[in-house]
Amino acid sequence: MSAQPIIIKRKKAGHGGHHGGAWKVAYADFVTAMMAFFLVMWLVNQSKEVKSSVAGYFRDPGVFDQARSDGPIAGGDLRLDPEAAPPSDPMTGLAAGELAALEDTAKRIKQRLAEAPDLRSLGRQIEIHITRDGLRIELVDAESQTFFASGSAALAPGTEKVLELIARELGQLKNSIVIEGHTDSRPYATTDIYSNWELSADRANAARRVMERSGLQGGQVRGVRGYADRQLRVSETPLDPRNRRVSVIVEHLWRASGLPAAVRELASGGAGPAPIAPATSAPQASTPAHEPKAEGHNPH
């Protein structure tokens, strides 16, 4: 009988293969979910002021760099007066009341323009809207009639009366005012001594001077800006006369109050501007305006 073969089994010492780090990812997800859960539970039990502050931070974190910090969250105080009771709804009290005042002002300006026989033609070129920035009043040039002399900051006939009428109405408000000047894209001249930048700023300043001596309060004008052709009204036609305009912006009171961006956006009506009783749309122009060109000047 043959001998049974002897089988020897040898096991290699050592640990099993590497299992990877998938469990770490799953654990991190679990911790993040729990943190979000507890954050939501905390937020549900907070006041409307805190909720609005949190919403404002996530919509526009930059506004909190300059906002007031005496609220429940940095930059989260919704009150103009820290000792006054906060409004239960941002559209009531301050916001809704101010919007109503701006709407009434827009309607009065439209009515005054309609009642002045010598301003009716220019009144058709004045547009009034409520925007996120406030009440925007735009004096828009037309091909047949302009608010300023060609290539100059000199006021055309009737423009001063229009600005005086607007100033008397805006002087009754407490809101600050910014005046902007805009031109079309035709180069002013071949030299860099004077350009569309200077022209747009000079026209805005000319409007400011008339309005300040005609009814605006001292210090009510917060800024004068010249944008040249960088904010075209009719971008597809850079030489359209409607690109030449002066804009008077009556700023919302809450722009200077440190309110969060969420409240400002809600109170201003959402994403887009809402037209409020425009005098009438500016006359449409199918071709750019062509006026006699003075030497060295642009026919703006």
Side-chain angles (χ1 to χ4, degrees), residues 53-294:
S53 298
V54 173
Y57 175 81
F58 282 103
R59 293 190 185 188
D60 187 4
V63 75
F64 283 78
D65 295 338
Q66 299 177 349
R68 298 170 57 172
S69 59
D70 53 347
I73 296 180
D77 190 356
L78 303 183
R79 295 164 287 171
L80 294 177
D81 182 359
E83 298 179 359
S88 58
D89 187 332
M91 282 302 292
T92 63
L94 169 68
E98 191 213 349
L99 286 176
L102 294 181
E103 292 173 3
D104 289 342
T105 300
K107 293 176 182 177
R108 285 198 306 272
I109 293 174
K110 179 188 175 185
Q111 182 179 356
R112 300 290 185 271
L113 290 170
E115 292 173 349
D118 55 337
L119 299 180
R120 286 176 184 170
S121 58
L122 282 175
R124 290 193 292 267
Q125 296 171 220
I126 299 175
E127 299 187 0
I128 305 175
H129 299 84
I130 294 287
T131 70
R132 288 185 178 181
D133 295 327
L135 178 66
R136 178 177 285 266
I137 305 169
E138 292 202 311
L139 285 63
V140 185
D141 275 3
E143 187 171 4
S144 58
Q145 194 166 17
T146 64
F147 287 95
F148 292 87
S150 176
S152 168
L155 276 64
T159 304
E160 186 167 353
K161 291 184 178 180
V162 169
L163 293 172
E164 289 174 351
L165 183 152
I166 295 173
R168 285 193 291 270
E169 296 297 334
L170 300 188
Q172 303 176 34
L173 302 174
K174 297 181 180 179
N175 307 63
S176 59
I177 291 174
V178 172
I179 304 175
E180 300 175 350
H182 304 268
T183 69
D184 59 28
S185 293
R186 194 188 304 274
Y188 182 84
T190 58
T191 176
D192 59 356
I193 297 177
Y194 198 87
S195 67
N196 284 342
W197 289 105
E198 285 79 14
L199 179 61
S200 60
D202 286 349
R203 286 180 171 175
N205 248 326
R208 174 193 61 80
R209 287 191 290 268
V210 173
M211 297 181 71
E212 283 188 332
R213 68 170 180 258
S214 303
L216 292 187
Q217 305 172 30
Q220 192 172 4
V221 176
R222 191 181 66 83
V224 176
R225 304 166 181 167
Y227 285 102
D229 61 342
R230 300 308 172 92
Q231 294 186 6
L232 293 175
R233 178 185 177 89
V234 188
S235 56
E236 62 273 16
T237 312
L239 301 182
D240 193 299
R242 290 171 292 174
N243 290 319
R244 306 193 300 262
R245 65 200 189 277
V246 167
S247 304
V248 179
I249 300 136
V250 184
E251 295 187 309
H252 289 303
L253 287 173
W254 61 74
R255 287 180 60 84
S257 68
L259 294 182
V263 177
R264 297 201 308 270
E265 181 177 351
L266 178 60
S268 59
I276 299 296
T280 52
S281 296
Q284 299 295 318
S286 57
T287 58
H290 295 282
E291 305 174 34
K293 184 175 180 180

